[in-house]
Structures are given as structure tokens and as C-alpha cells.
């Protein structure tokens, strides 16, 4: 072994040889690395400000992290492709996939039961995959929570508990949860949820495409969502994150939609039930796109750590995931405990948006939106569209009462109220139409056109008739009288 | 280079000792793995098409199968083997780059068996030597980051494999890998 001395492996035992100076620079290196990663999570425009704040008293650290950020930006394939590897740049792609926090890749079989086919979608909290149940070859949807959330045991426990609750719900308007488990993926425990695979699209997609929905269809959708909510509420489960993106629409063969509510209980599992500290509340988007207002995204509301400037560890950052600001009830926005009536509020917001084309509040920032939900008077939907009748506007706004006690007593009650006012209007219209139809307007001109000449002829015939009778021309007399009778009959 | 080929039993025994914390085991294991990788690389080149580039991962895997075998091996032993194989690959390749740089300067260095297997440009050789030096500095600041670069870049391990070898979460590998890359790029650009 002539080369063994020169080839001493860099072993873990070298750690002990560190002198004090090395350990100081090692801890600075670690701190720089953490700041670098935190800065990467900021939108590019805000990185410098973020770093200046974080390194206010340490100019050397600021320079170190800035140089790391610069180096990160350089496009260079060196290092990203393993040396002596024929495959072109596989690490880039792989890293990208993991950084997108999509924790699974196609063809992987999790728990020896579900073969992952492809990624269907990804949100701030996790990802949904199209998968095949190996035993039955049935197509299913598998939902996995982001690994960064999945590492917290309390989180897994809640996820499990709520998955059980969702599994207990069997309702035609609630997506069917068939399985739950914790898969070991490359050493990480990943809780997953298996659901029936649905064709179609979300109500959110529909709104993006059409802007708003015809009234009769709104009634149908709201009815079905209300059935789902009432069933869940009866089972003691509150959705807490009801929004158009969580309402699935499968076209049925009758030209309508079968509506299914998604993510039942999952939102609750990530929400903390304790009250948030009064006033001391800030918000961070759970998604990567920190620059955009996440009004459509489920957001994390967390308590600010005691020291200002401290970013807080993962547990604190996880905090309380309350819902989606645009659809959140005032009590949710305040961080106070919520019950089923929060879902009624969210359903009313959705109804509002379907009818008016806009949700009631459209704050520019999350904080503004939250304060609007809490205290701003709800603008009438007629503000967006004066064609919406007053009774319909009033019915929707009943569900948007700030105090839960003032809202309709159940989701079904809200739907029924809405149906009553809408159908009330429809029946008025129908009645008006019915009375008009007894004089068939379309045919009236035809009748007049057909019989007017006969009638006129008959009138003209009267003096002639008298003349004829005087002249005693008998054969024509009965003919003229017949004419007359026909004209009167018409 | 080694007169006797080690038996799988010997290798496994060394891996077990390593796992039990015997620091000498690594020193004895290292040259064995080194020789095996050289041998394999040479045979690869004989049977592969001439335009076929060497696959680091395949090489390390085959070395493992040949030296340790596939059955009755503790998972940790396997991880240790890959950890060592990555270090070996690094030395093999850096040696090669050094010899190439030296021969350019006219010194008469013995050609390594990997010469025919690897197609390096002069630029790559210099990069590789600089990388090796930077990695030694990085190891003093964060051994884990240096190890991740070694496993990923020199042994071609994937992120989940790297996570297994180091006994950490894939997420952590991604984070450390991102930091280490930025750090090395900065070091290499100055």
C-alpha cells in the first residue's frame, strides 16, 4: 500500500482535532449558510434589505452571505453534474424537484401499495399525485404533505387524527378518503392520504374561466356544498378552509355538475386551536411565491417570536394555519376558536363571488384583507352588479354577518334561503309569462291576416245582401249568409 | 498494486469494525477499495465502447457488489462503503488530474490506469485540483457539506442515496448541498 499514507480518508474522527479558532469559523460558516438559505427564500428585490436587517451589527457576515448569493446566481454546470458521469446534468433536475418540495418521483411505490404515476398539482402545503393502487390497479389520488411539515411529530399525529375523521365521512358530496399511512421515503417519514381520483376541475378553475356563474347553477352548487357541510358538521368536523379551489366539479351526464368538497378536516389538522396572542400576529405565506398576495393560498398565521428580528424556528413558523384570507370568517381572522359557522361564512363568500364575480373584500395585502373580514361592513353584491336583486343580495349577506350567531343556522339553511329568494323571483317571472301566453302574441297577426279579408268582405256584403234580397235572387242569398256566419265565428 | 485480492469476508469485517468505531479500519479499507476501483475502471474500458464515459455510480456499485456482496450486509456497512468509495473516487480523480498537470509540465509521472477511462480537458484537470483544495478548506468549516459534495460529485450519488449514507433527511442534504455549492463556487472564482 504505497499510497495509503497520502490517501488518508477524511473521516469523522477529524472533528475532534478542531482547535478553538476552527470551531469559531465553523459556527460563522453555519450561520452564513442559514442566512444564505433564508435570503434565498425572500423575493430577489428584498434580499438585500433582509440581510442588512439580519446582519446589522456584523459587516463581515453581510459580505460573506452576499458573496454566497452572488456565487449561487452564477450559471455553471461544474459541480451540478457528477464528474465521470455520462448522464447530462441529472443533479440539477433532481435538486429542482426536491426543492419544489414535491417529495415523490414517478414510478416510486410507496408503502408497497401505491405506485406514483405523476404529479397532479402542488400547493403550499403539499402535493397531489396520480397513483395506482398496486393490488387493484385502481387509479387513485395520493396527497403528501411537504417534508418540511412532515418532520414534526405533532403534525403527523394531527394529520393522522384528521385523516381518520375525513375517512369517517361518507357522503356523495365529499371526496372519499380511502387510506392513510406514513411512508418511508429515503429516510423521511411522509404521511400520505389516499383519495378517490376525480375527473373535472375545481370551482376555482371555473371562476377563472367564466368569472361568474348563472343563478340556477349557483343554487345547484351551493345546495351540494351545503349538503356536504351539514353532513360534516353533524359529525363534528369543521372544514375551515372552504374555498373555490377546494370544491371539485365533475360534469354529470345531465349537463350539470356533481360537486365534491375536498380537503375535509385536513385544514383543521394543521390549525392550532389555542388562541393566538392578542395583537401580536403576523402572516407569512406558506408558498414560495412570497411576493404575491396569497389570497388564494392557504396561509400561515404565526405568532411573532418575542425578540423583534428573530425569524423563529420551523415550529414557530408553522404556527397556526388558519385558512385562505379571502374566504376566512372574522373569528378565524382574529385567531379565535372557530366552529361550524365559520364554514357557513366561507360558503357565503363563495356564493357572493359566484353571483357578483368578485369576493366581497379584496385587500391589497393579507393584513388588510384580514382587518376587512373582521370589521369592514360587507359591500352589497349590487355594488358589483346592479342587476342582482335586493332579496338575493340580502340573502347572501345574511351568511356574511360578522357575528356567527347572526348567520343562518346551518349551511343548508343558507342554501334554502337563497333558493327561496331566487325561485321566488323565478316564479314571479313565470307567472307573468303565463298570463301573457294566454294571448299567443306570435300567432295574433296570423289570425288577423287570415280573417280580416273575410270579415271585411262580410261587412261589405251587408248592403249587398239587402239589395239581393230585394231583387229576390235566392240561390246567392244563403251563400252570403254563410259567409257572414263564418266571419262572425272567426 | 495489491498482491492479494481481499475476500468479501475481510471487507465486511473491516466495515463492521469501522461501524464499531475503529479508526484504523478506514485506513485499511481505503487502499483496498482504491485498488478495486482501479481494476474495475480498467476492465470497464476494455469491454465498453470507446465513446462510453465512465459511470461513477455504476463503478462504485459494482465495486461494492464484488467486494462485499449483496446479502447479509448491514445497511450501515453499505453506507460506510459508499462513504469511503466516494472519498476514493475523489482521490483517484484528483490524482489523475495532478498527473496530467504534471506531465504537461514535462515531468515523467507514471500514467494511472484511469488515463484511458477518463477524458479530461486540461481546464477540467485544473478545476478538479482547485476543487480538491477548496474541499479540504470546506471540510474544516463543515465536514458534512464537504462529505455531501464528495458523495454527490465524485461518487454520483443521488440526494436520497446521499441522505441514506449520511443518515440525515433528504431535505437537509438539499439545504447543505445548496450552501456548499455556493461556497465552493465563490472559492473557485476568486
Amino acid at each position: 500500500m504505497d499510497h495509503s499514507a497520502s490517501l488518508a480518508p477524511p473521516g469523522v474522527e477529524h472533528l475532534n482535532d478542531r482547535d478553538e479558532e476552527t470551531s469559531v469559523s465553523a459556527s460563522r460558516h453555519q450561520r452564513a449558510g442559514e442566512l444564505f438559505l433564508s435570503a434565498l427564500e425572500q423575493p430577489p428585490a428584498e434580499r438585500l434589505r433582509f440581510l442588512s436587517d439580519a446582519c446589522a451589527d456584523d459587516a463581515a457576515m453581510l459580505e460573506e452571505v452576499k458573496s454566497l448569493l452572488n456565487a449561487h446566481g452564477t450559471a455553471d454546470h461544474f459541480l451540478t453534474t457528477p464528474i465521470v458521469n455520462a448522464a447530462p446534468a441529472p443533479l440539477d433536475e433532481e435538486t429542482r424537484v426536491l426543492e419544489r418540495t414535491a417529495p415523490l418521483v414517478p414510478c416510486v411505490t410507496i408503502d408497497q401499495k401505491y405506485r406514483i404515476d405523476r404529479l397532479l398539482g402542488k400547493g403550499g402545503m403539499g402535493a397531489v399525485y396520480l397513483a395506482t393502487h398496486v393490488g387493484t390497479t385502481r387509479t387513485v389520488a395520493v396527497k403528501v404533505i411537504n417534508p418540511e411539515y412532515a418532520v414534526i411529530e405533532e403534525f403527523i399525529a394531527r394529520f393522522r387524527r384528521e385523516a381518520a375523521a375525513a375517512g369517517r365521512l361518507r357522503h356523495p358530496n365529499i371526496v372519499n378518503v380511502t387510506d392513510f399511512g406514513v411512508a418511508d421515503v429515503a429516510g423521511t417519514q411522509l404521511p400520505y392520504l389516499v383519495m378517490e381520483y376525480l375527473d373535472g376541475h375545481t370551482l376555482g378553475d371555473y371562476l377563472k374561466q367564466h368569472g361568474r356563474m348563472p343563478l340556477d347553477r349557483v343554487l345547484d352548487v351551493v345546495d351540494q356544498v351545503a349538503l356536504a357541510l351539514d353532513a360534516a358538521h353533524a359529525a363534528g368536523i369543521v372544514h375551515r378552509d372552504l374555498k373555490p379551489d377546494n370544491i371539485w366539479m365533475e360534469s354529470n351526464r345531465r349537463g350539470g355538475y356533481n360537486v365534491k368538497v375536498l380537503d375535509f378536516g385536513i385544514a383543521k389538522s394543521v390549525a392550532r386551536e389555542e388562541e393566538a396572542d392578542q395583537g401580536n400576529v403576523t402572516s407569512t405565506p406558506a408558498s414560495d411565491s412570497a411576493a404575491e398576495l396569497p389570497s388564494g393560498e392557504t396561509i400561515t398565521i404565526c405568532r411573532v417570536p418575542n425578540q423583534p428580528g428573530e425569524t423563529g424556528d420551523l415550529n414557530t413558523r408553522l404556527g397556526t394555519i388558519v385558512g385562505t384570507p379571502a374566504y376566512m370568517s372574522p373569528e378565524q381572522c382574529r385567531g379565535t376558536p372557530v366552529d361550524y359557522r365559520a364554514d357557513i361564512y366561507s360558503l357565503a363568500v363563495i356564493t357572493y363571488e359566484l353571483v357578483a364575480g368578485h369576493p366581497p373584500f379584496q385587500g391589497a395585502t393579507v393584513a388588510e384583507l384580514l382587518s376587512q373580514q373582521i370589521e369592514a361592513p360587507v359591500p352589497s353584491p349590487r355594488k358589483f352588479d346592479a342587476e342582482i336583486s335586493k332579496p338575493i343580495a340580502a340573502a347572501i349577506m345574511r351568511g356574511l354577518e360578522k357575528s356567527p350567531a347572526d348567520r343562518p343556522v346551518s349551511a343548508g339553511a343558507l342554501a334554502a334561503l337563497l333558493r327561496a329568494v331566487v325561485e321566488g323571483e323565478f316564479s314571479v317571472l313565470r307567472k307573468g309569462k303565463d298570463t301573457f301566453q294566454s294571448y299567443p302574441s306570435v300567432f295574433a297577426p296570423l289570425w288577423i291576416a287570415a280573417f280580416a279579408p273575410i270579415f271585411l268582405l262580410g261587412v261589405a256584403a251587408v248592403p249587398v245582401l239587402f239589395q239581393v234580397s230585394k231583387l229576390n235572387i235566392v240561390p246567392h242569398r244563403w251563400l252570403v249568409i254563410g259567409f257572414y256566419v263564418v266571419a262572425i265565428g272567426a | 498494486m495489491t498482491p492479494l485480492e481481499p475476500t468479501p469476508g475481510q471487507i465486511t469485517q473491516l466495515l463492521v469494525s469501522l461501524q464499531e468505531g475503529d479508526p484504523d479500519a478506514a485506513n485499511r479499507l481505503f487502499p483496498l477499495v482504491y485498488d478495486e476501483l482501479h481494476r474495475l475502471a480498467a476492465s470497464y474500458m476494455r469491454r465498453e465502447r470507446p465513446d462510453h464515459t465512465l459511470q461513477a455510480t455504476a463503478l462504485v456499485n459494482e465495486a461494492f457488489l464484488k467486494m462485499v456482496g449483496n446479502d447479509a450486509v448491514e445497511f450501515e456497512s453499505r453506507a460506510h462503503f459508499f462513504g469511503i468509495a466516494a472519498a476514493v473516487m475523489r482521490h483517484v480523480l484528483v490524482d489523475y488530474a495532478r498527473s496530467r498537470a504534471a506531465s504537461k509540465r514535462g515531468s515523467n509521472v507514471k500514467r494511472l490506469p484511469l488515463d484511458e477511462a477518463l477524458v479530461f480537458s486540461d481546464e477540467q484537470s485544473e478545476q478538479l485540483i482547485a476543487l480538491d483544495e477548496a474541499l479540504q478548506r470546506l471540510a474544516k468549516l463543515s465536514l458534512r457539506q464537504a462529505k455531501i459534495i464528495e458523495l454527490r460529485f465524485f461518487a454520483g450519488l443521488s440526494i436520497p442515496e446521499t441522505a441514506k449514507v449520511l443518515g440525515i433527511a433528504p431535505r437537509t442534504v438539499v439545504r447543505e448541498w445548496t450552501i456548499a455549492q455556493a461556497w465552493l463556487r465563490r472559492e473557485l472564482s476568486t
Side-chain angles (χ1 to χ4, degrees):
Chain A
M1 321 285 155
D2 47 335
H3 41 254
S4 60
S6 65
L7 295 177
V12 184
E13 54 274 13
H14 288 199
L15 266 174
N16 305 330
D17 302 340
R18 274 189 196 155
D19 53 23
E20 208 171 304
E21 193 193 332
T22 327
S23 81
V24 167
S25 49
S27 71
R28 281 186 70 81
H29 174 77
Q30 196 192 343
R31 172 87 182 131
E34 281 162 9
L35 282 173
F36 161 70
L37 289 180
S38 304
L40 276 184
E41 285 168 14
Q42 309 290 322
E46 284 168 33
R47 282 179 191 160
L48 199 59
R49 200 170 52 82
F50 167 82
L51 283 179
S52 308
D53 288 350
C55 317
D57 51 348
D58 194 343
M61 180 63 77
L62 179 65
E63 284 311 306
E64 170 76 11
V65 181
K66 270 162 75 179
S67 72
L68 287 180
L69 280 171
N70 284 338
H72 181 79
T74 55
D76 183 1
H77 279 293
F78 186 57
L79 279 181
T80 55
T81 313
I83 195 150
V84 282
N85 195 328
L91 299 186
D92 251 357
E93 170 64 15
E94 191 179 23
T95 308
R96 209 163 55 77
V97 166
L98 269 156
E99 276 178 342
R100 279 205 317 254
T101 63
L104 297 173
V105 285
C107 298
V108 162
T109 302
I110 58 170
D111 253 13
Q112 302 175 330
K113 278 194 285 190
Y114 303 101
R115 196 185 64 238
I116 301 300
D117 295 326
R118 67 185 165 86
L119 186 69
L120 286 174
K122 188 184 158 289
M125 294 294 301
V128 180
Y129 296 88
L130 184 70
T132 306
H133 184 227
V134 176
T136 59
T137 69
R138 177 183 296 169
T139 301
V140 293
V142 172
K143 180 169 184 159
V144 185
I145 299 297
N146 283 352
E148 60 179 0
Y149 294 109
V151 291
I152 297 154
E153 266 179 43
E154 186 204 342
F155 189 98
I156 297 182
R158 279 168 178 268
F159 188 51
R160 186 194 302 274
R161 209 160 49 233
E162 295 305 328
R168 214 168 60 224
L169 285 173
R170 279 183 62 94
H171 191 274
N173 297 115
I174 296 175
V175 67
N176 195 11
V177 173
T178 56
D179 198 1
F180 170 78
V182 180
D184 185 305
V185 178
T188 305
Q189 299 294 305
L190 276 183
Y192 66 90
L193 200 62
V194 183
M195 298 168 289
E196 60 179 319
Y197 172 71
L198 300 171
D199 263 338
H201 51 84
T202 67
L203 185 57
D205 297 333
Y206 180 95
L207 276 170
K208 269 183 215 102
Q209 202 183 335
H210 300 280
R212 53 205 277 185
M213 194 181 256
L215 263 184
D216 54 340
R217 189 160 279 177
V218 172
L219 287 183
D220 186 35
V221 169
V222 171
D223 264 349
Q224 295 190 55
V225 175
L227 284 172
L229 289 178
D230 283 347
H233 295 161
I237 295 168
V238 183
H239 192 294
R240 292 189 192 213
D241 194 16
L242 191 68
K243 55 179 170 181
D245 287 345
N246 277 340
I247 295 173
W248 196 267
M249 299 168 68
E250 256 186 328
S251 302
N252 63 25
R253 292 184 185 182
R254 303 183 301 275
Y257 290 106
N258 287 337
V259 175
K260 294 202 184 220
V261 179
L262 311 178
D263 278 358
F264 243 105
I266 305 308
K268 187 184 177 185
S269 74
V270 298
R272 220 173 250 176
E273 277 151 55
E274 313 95 75
E275 294 187 21
D277 287 355
Q278 284 299 312
N280 211 8
V281 173
T282 186
S283 61
T284 52
S287 70
D288 295 332
S289 53
E292 294 157 40
L293 168 67
S295 59
E297 285 266 329
T298 305
I299 63 150
T300 314
I301 305 287
C302 66
R303 290 198 285 270
V304 180
N306 293 333
Q307 288 83 19
E310 192 187 318
T311 48
D313 63 5
L314 187 61
N315 280 294
T316 330
R317 279 206 293 120
L318 237 178
T320 320
I321 292 171
V322 189
T324 306
Y327 303 94
M328 261 158 62
S329 62
E331 59 268 31
Q332 256 173 311
C333 294
R334 272 196 299 269
T336 48
V338 301
D339 60 15
Y340 68 97
R341 291 172 297 189
D343 287 347
I344 298 176
Y345 184 93
S346 303
L347 178 59
V349 176
I350 294 166
T351 312
Y352 191 114
E353 188 175 0
L354 289 175
V355 172
H358 299 272
F361 299 118
Q362 298 165 70
T365 63
V366 173
E368 192 186 338
L369 204 44
L370 294 183
S371 82
Q372 284 175 335
Q373 300 278 27
I374 293 171
E375 52 196 11
V378 181
S380 168
R382 287 162 55 82
K383 194 191 105 187
F384 295 105
D385 181 0
E387 302 265 298
I388 299 168
S389 79
K390 280 179 185 166
I392 291 176
I396 295 171
M397 287 170 71
R398 278 289 309 283
L400 294 170
E401 289 288 346
K402 302 288 181 201
S403 163
D406 293 340
R407 294 172 203 152
V409 293
S410 67
L414 174 65
L417 178 63
L418 194 68
R419 184 173 284 280
V421 291
V422 173
E423 297 210 321
E425 288 186 7
F426 277 164
S427 63
V428 167
L429 286 176
R430 201 177 302 130
K431 217 176 270 165
K433 228 179 187 176
D434 284 349
T435 29
F436 195 56
Q437 271 169 351
S438 57
Y439 301 96
S441 56
V442 178
F443 296 110
L446 282 180
W447 281 103
I448 293 166
F451 288 99
I454 302 168
F455 184 72
L456 289 175
L457 199 64
V459 171
V462 175
V464 176
L465 196 68
F466 279 107
Q467 294 295 325
V468 167
S469 60
K470 278 181 190 162
L471 293 173
N472 274 333
I473 305 171
V474 179
H476 292 94
R477 191 172 160 186
W478 290 114
L479 191 70
V480 173
I481 290 170
F483 248 104
Y484 218 63
V485 169
V486 168
I488 290 166
Chain B
M1 284 184 190
T2 22
L4 276 173
E5 259 193 63
T7 66
Q10 271 177 296
I11 304 276
T12 310
Q13 188 51 49
L14 280 172
L15 286 170
V16 169
S17 312
L18 186 68
Q19 210 179 305
E20 285 164 356
D22 176 6
D24 193 41
N27 291 333
R28 284 191 286 154
L29 200 51
F30 197 80
L32 298 178
V33 177
Y34 184 93
D35 289 343
E36 185 56 39
L37 284 174
H38 266 205
R39 247 199 307 275
L40 275 175
S43 74
Y44 255 58
M45 283 308 112
R46 279 196 298 276
R47 64 174 193 255
E48 295 288 346
R49 297 188 309 275
D51 59 339
H52 193 115
T53 326
L54 197 60
Q55 290 267 0
T57 322
L59 195 65
V60 173
N61 265 312
E62 188 162 339
F64 178 80
L65 287 177
K66 201 167 169 217
M67 296 180 78
V68 185
N70 209 6
D71 37 39
V73 182
E74 290 287 321
F75 177 75
E76 281 76 14
S77 303
R78 197 180 166 87
H80 277 299
F81 181 88
F82 277 90
I84 285 176
V88 170
M89 282 303 286
R90 173 177 163 192
H91 279 274
V92 167
L93 296 168
V94 172
D95 273 4
Y96 169 75
R98 287 223 168 85
S99 78
R100 195 188 161 97
S103 69
K104 246 197 112 192
R105 288 193 299 269
S107 138
N108 191 16
V109 172
K110 192 179 137 205
R111 278 165 68 90
L112 290 164
L114 281 182
D115 271 21
E116 294 145 35
L118 304 172
V119 190
F120 273 1
S121 68
D122 290 340
E123 195 196 358
Q124 277 176 314
S125 298
E126 281 163 25
Q127 256 182 333
L128 206 56
I129 294 165
L131 175 65
D132 184 59
E133 287 163 4
L135 266 181
Q136 286 172 22
R137 294 198 296 279
L138 180 60
K140 290 199 182 100
L141 297 173
S142 168
L143 194 57
R144 184 154 81 177
Q145 286 174 10
K147 204 71 194 158
I148 287 172
I149 294 285
E150 202 168 79
L151 289 165
R152 302 264 293 137
F153 183 66
F154 288 102
L157 295 196
S158 70
I159 282 175
E161 281 170 335
T162 309
K164 270 187 195 172
V165 170
L166 296 178
I168 55 179
R171 186 87 199 146
T172 312
V173 175
V174 173
R175 288 169 62 87
E176 299 276 66
W177 163 248
T178 310
I179 299 171
Q181 278 188 95
W183 191 90
L184 284 171
R185 285 209 174 115
R186 189 198 60 195
E187 292 293 300
L188 294 175
S189 68
T190 47

